[in-house]
Amino acid sequence: MAPTRSSKDVKAITALALDGPANSLDALSELHILQEAASRWAFDSDRDLRGDAVHPKDMFDIIGGTGISGFYAILFTRLNLTIGQAIQAHRILEERLFVTEVWMSKNQNASLDVLQTTLREIEKELEVGISLDLPLEEKGPFSKG
């Protein structure tokens, strides 16, 4: 007879799936809702943190998203930003990306250049010490070749 495992032996995997909102205000609302959830998580787990100081990757095993929310997933996982820092980064994004027509352009390389430049500005402005040299595929829709 095979050994059985109780539910106490199995750790649940937690995932944060962020849906790409329709506009900048909805995107900002998504971050504020996450901040409230983080405040409750910090309180429930006896952590001495405010919601804006929580790193979502401490709360979730997997983080992903679509559209601008996919960008938030990069901020939380690759740059290890807190929710408060992501709200600051959102404001930088509004200034740099949402006002440029390049972001909505069919020229994907131009959009990627704007996004990478904005990531570097966020890194500098928020003093995040992680390299943003994101590798690009040699072939594919976002390649520079």
Side-chain angles (χ1 to χ4, degrees):
M1 178 192 252
T4 60
R5 296 186 344 182
S6 71
S7 61
K8 293 179 184 177
D9 297 334
V10 179
K11 181 188 179 297
I13 294 176
T14 56
L16 175 61
L18 300 165
D19 187 25
N23 58 50
S24 176
L25 183 59
D26 289 348
L28 187 58
S29 296
E30 185 175 58
L31 290 175
H32 283 287
I33 292 167
L34 180 59
Q35 181 176 332
E36 178 60 29
S39 292
R40 294 176 187 201
W41 172 81
F43 179 80
D44 290 346
S45 58
D46 292 327
R47 296 174 191 258
D48 191 21
L49 291 172
R50 295 183 329 263
D52 63 344
V54 171
H55 291 271
K57 69 182 201 179
D58 292 338
M59 296 171 55
F60 300 98
D61 298 312
I62 300 168
I63 300 174
T66 61
I68 195 64
S69 297
F71 183 76
Y72 295 151
I74 292 170
L75 296 179
F76 294 141
T77 58
R78 179 88 178 195
L79 299 183
N80 196 33
L81 295 190
T82 64
I83 297 168
Q85 289 172 316
I87 290 171
Q88 289 176 304
H90 175 87
R91 293 192 174 106
I92 295 168
L93 279 173
E94 277 187 323
E95 294 170 6
R96 311 297 192 292
L97 289 182
F98 297 143
V99 296
T100 64
E101 292 181 19
V102 154
W103 176 249
M104 299 305 286
S105 160
K106 293 191 187 249
N107 181 347
Q108 293 177 342
N109 286 336
S111 296
L112 183 60
D113 289 341
V114 171
L115 182 60
Q116 287 180 323
T117 300
T118 303
L119 275 169
R120 285 184 176 80
E121 289 175 20
I122 289 169
E123 177 187 35
K124 184 177 179 183
E125 195 161 321
L126 298 182
E127 298 177 358
V128 179
I130 296 175
S131 173
L132 287 173
D133 293 328
L134 303 174
L136 296 175
E137 297 176 25
E138 289 185 21
K139 294 184 179 181
F142 301 112
S143 66
K144 289 191 174 191

